[in-house]
Amino acid sequence: MRAQIKLGRIAGIEIGLHYSWFLIGILIVFSLKDQFNTVNPDWSPALIWSIALVTAVLFFVALLLHELAHSLVAKSRGLRVRAITLFALGGVSQIESEAADAKSEFWIAIVGPLTSLIVGALCFGVERLAFPGAAAEPAPPVAALLVWLGRINVVLAFFNMIPGYPLDGGRVLRAIIWWIGGSQTRATKWASSTGQAVAFLFILYGLFGFFTGRNYQGLWLAFIGWFLLDASRSTSLQVEISSGLQGRRVADIMERDCALVEGHISLQDFVNEYVLRSGRRCFIVVQNNSLTGLITPNEVKKVPREEWPQTSVQSVMIPLKQLHVVTPDTPAVQALDLLTKQDVNQVPVVSDGHLVGIFSRGQVIRYLQAHAELGRS
């Protein structure tokens, strides 16, 4: 998940917000406003709104600490962490590779819930020390703020420890199964299956609650279950792909018959003579028999149709210097990770300075489909 709003860096890790975070932020503020107004009717509207807003901001900080704990432990274990993004359902640390062993996976996963539990305990501790008589009389605003933050962080810690992948508890479960059985792939499949079962329970319980009077609380729980189900299925698919590509190189999958196009022709001729006739989606751009770049329909779509006759292929292509390339000996899993990280569909395959093929997502899918069909036959 990519952040639309960049907030800065902590320990070299980019911190950002997804637009969906504002949805949960607004819901928290309005929910807290109603709660504080009900419990403390003598508070002024300005005070209620101020405390609700400050509490929501501090909850944001608590979520950030939770994800930052994951990221810092991952970095200490030699993994590269690109960014932390906070969104509607919490946060995600974008760790660019898997843990090398079960022990690292365990500590990376469990440190987040432990951090939330510590933050919750600190909030309760400060509230008890600073406001010892708050429980016997109407609580001061700061005490009410600390109690709410303490409760929500404890709930967050226990919720994340539910053994449903990709929640932290599911990752802890995967680490334990991995340590016992010695197979990361098998452990991920078991954790993913458990995650899907937990997600179905969330959905069923949420829908049951909605139809029995819990209204939007039930729908919210069902939505969380749907999110977990989608994430668990995606994880299961990733495991199948990684298993299918295990031991394979780029040379085993790449397309060797590369489609070439001269850079000087217009986009109109390119679409009519190359794209529509061949059905291909990726073309290598050459100029004087030298590789200069790559063009796909995505680059063409950025140019208004009425400008196609006057626009050359070379003017809109992706230049060679901006392309990420792989070699024929690059592991297929590593090349696919590159496509994902760079958010592209294909990369040129270069050997000794010469283009020898194209590696694309489409070829990976066709390769896996062919092997699955052969395996069933």
Side-chain angles (χ1 to χ4, degrees):
M1 179 171 290
R2 296 179 179 273
Q4 281 85 29
I5 301 175
K6 305 293 192 298
L7 301 180
R9 289 180 175 272
I10 299 178
I13 303 169
E14 185 178 274
I15 310 298
L17 283 180
H18 187 267
Y19 287 145
S20 62
W21 161 253
F22 292 99
L23 171 64
I24 192 65
I26 292 171
L27 287 174
I28 288 174
V29 170
F30 277 89
S31 174
L32 286 171
K33 188 267 297 184
D34 292 338
Q35 179 180 333
F36 290 151
N37 187 46
T38 301
V39 177
N40 304 279
D42 55 323
W43 289 2
S44 67
L47 177 61
I48 290 174
W49 279 107
S50 298
I51 292 297
L53 185 60
V54 171
T55 305
V57 171
L58 291 177
F59 177 55
F60 159 83
V61 174
L63 283 177
L64 181 58
L65 290 174
H66 178 110
E67 293 302 326
L68 197 58
H70 286 307
S71 298
L72 292 178
V73 173
K75 287 188 69 174
S76 72
R77 296 282 174 168
L79 305 181
R80 186 171 181 269
V81 182
R82 186 169 56 200
I84 293 174
T85 302
L86 299 179
F87 66 108
L89 294 179
V92 58
S93 298
Q94 298 175 24
I95 303 173
E96 293 194 346
S97 57
E98 291 283 351
D101 54 79
K103 183 179 179 181
S104 296
E105 172 75 359
F106 177 84
W107 286 113
I108 292 171
I110 204 169
V111 71
L114 286 176
T115 300
S116 294
L117 199 60
I118 291 171
V119 171
L122 286 174
C123 288
F124 283 129
V126 171
E127 188 269 339
R128 291 291 178 86
L129 290 174
F131 307 97
E137 58 188 35
V142 176
L145 179 153
L146 289 170
V147 168
W148 189 89
L149 284 175
R151 288 174 180 168
I152 198 65
N153 275 282
V154 171
V155 169
L156 183 66
F158 281 98
F159 174 79
N160 272 278
M161 283 306 295
I162 293 174
Y165 199 86
L167 290 176
D168 295 334
R171 294 184 177 275
V172 169
L173 176 64
R174 180 175 77 153
I176 293 172
I177 297 174
W178 182 3
W179 177 71
I180 294 173
S183 172
Q184 181 186 19
T185 300
R186 188 181 303 110
T188 306
K189 287 182 177 179
W190 274 97
S192 177
S193 298
T194 304
Q196 292 181 48
V198 170
F200 273 120
L201 291 176
F202 268 70
I203 294 171
L204 292 175
Y205 186 70
L207 292 176
F208 174 78
F210 175 75
F211 288 111
T212 55
R214 294 186 182 178
N215 299 327
Y216 295 107
Q217 290 182 356
L219 282 183
W220 185 247
L221 193 62
F223 176 70
I224 293 175
W226 171 82
F227 172 79
L228 289 176
L229 181 63
D230 183 65
S232 296
R233 285 176 171 172
S234 297
T235 301
S236 180
L237 180 60
Q238 290 173 3
V239 171
E240 291 180 12
I241 291 174
S242 297
S243 299
L245 297 180
Q246 195 67 36
R248 299 298 179 182
R249 303 174 303 138
V250 165
D252 301 325
I253 300 173
M254 71 180 188
E255 182 179 1
R256 300 176 184 273
D257 182 19
C258 300
L260 306 179
V261 61
E262 292 286 343
H264 62 80
I265 72 169
S266 68
L267 290 184
Q268 188 69 62
D269 290 339
F270 169 63
V271 171
N272 293 338
E273 302 296 328
Y274 290 83
V275 178
L276 296 180
R277 289 191 176 185
S278 68
R280 294 176 181 267
R281 295 188 54 83
C282 178
F283 294 82
I284 299 299
V285 183
V286 294
Q287 198 75 26
N288 299 324
N289 296 322
S290 298
L291 170 65
T292 59
L294 180 146
I295 186 169
T296 71
N298 288 330
E299 284 70 55
V300 177
K301 288 188 293 185
K302 296 176 183 177
V303 180
R305 186 178 292 270
E306 61 271 15
E307 297 180 14
W308 286 4
Q310 296 81 36
T311 307
S312 68
V313 165
Q314 193 163 8
S315 65
V316 300
M317 70 179 186
I318 304 173
L320 179 61
K321 62 182 179 181
Q322 295 181 14
L323 292 175
H324 297 271
V325 301
V326 295
T327 68
D329 291 328
T330 301
V333 173
Q334 182 179 327
L336 186 59
D337 285 341
L338 177 64
L339 295 181
T340 302
K341 291 172 186 176
Q342 301 301 326
D343 194 23
V344 295
N345 290 317
Q346 58 277 309
V347 289
V349 184
V350 177
S351 179
D352 297 327
H354 300 288
L355 178 73
V356 295
I358 291 289
F359 181 86
S360 69
R361 296 176 191 263
Q363 286 155 333
V364 170
I365 292 173
R366 288 190 291 272
Y367 174 85
L368 293 174
Q369 285 176 337
H371 273 255
E373 291 173 359
L374 291 172
R376 289 195 297 265
S377 61

